[in-house]
Amino acid sequence: MSVKDVEDLLYRQSGLKGISGVSNDMRELEPSASPAAALAIDYFVYRIVLNAGMLAAALNGLDAFIFTAGIGENSANIRARVAEKLAWLGVDFDAAANKAGGPLISKPHSKAAAYVIGTDEELMIARHTVSFLSRTTSAASLEKT
């Protein structure tokens, strides 16, 4: 395979698309009637829960579990499936709050809270860029003196 073919395989044909044969976009997978799309979603949820369990073990438990970014912010179905599987870690899931979009989607007495927190990647990139540039500019000014 050429470098371009390998890049296409890894970046466009693998992951959810590779499993489902449908798409790598959860917005297309969730309404799909394809059994392969359902398998891809099952696998996606499985991997989230698997990794959450490993991290919880390393951290000796959880205080909170945060759903964010595209799927975490927008898919009540994925949040519900993940949160229900995190019950053993103390997440007492609130289906009505989840359907409403949160921000708190666990019950108040839950040992580990679950939240939906919006993210703004472009704003964070801009903030980090400004911070970096201000440090670089300050360092350059110091070198001149």
Side-chain angles (χ1 to χ4, degrees), residues 68-109:
T68 193
I71 298 169
E73 288 178 55
N74 298 302
S75 179
N77 175 49
I78 296 297
R79 290 192 307 263
R81 292 181 62 180
V82 170
E84 288 168 357
K85 291 185 179 296
L86 295 177
W88 69 275
L89 287 169
V91 174
D92 191 359
F93 180 65
D94 184 335
N98 180 51
K99 188 174 181 181
L104 181 65
I105 61 169
S106 56
K107 294 181 180 171
H109 65 274

Side-chain angles (χ1 to χ4, degrees), residues 64-138:
F65 191 87
I66 309 299
F67 293 90
T68 193
I71 298 169
E73 288 178 55
N74 298 302
S75 179
N77 175 49
I78 296 297
R79 290 192 307 263
R81 292 181 62 180
V82 170
E84 288 168 357
K85 291 185 179 296
L86 295 177
W88 69 275
L89 287 169
V91 174
D92 191 359
F93 180 65
D94 184 335
N98 180 51
K99 188 174 181 181
L104 181 65
I105 61 169
S106 56
K107 294 181 180 171
H109 65 274
S110 184
K111 287 182 183 178
Y115 292 95
V116 178
I117 305 293
T119 187
D120 187 340
E121 288 99 351
E122 291 84 5
L123 176 61
M124 293 308 299
I125 291 168
R127 285 181 178 167
H128 286 288
T129 301
V130 167
S131 174
F132 173 78
L133 291 175
S134 66
R135 285 192 315 268
T136 304
T137 303
S138 296

Side-chain angles (χ1 to χ4, degrees), residues 46-58:
Y46 167 78
R47 293 296 302 191
I48 292 170
V49 174
L50 175 72
N51 284 285
M54 288 189 291
L55 291 169

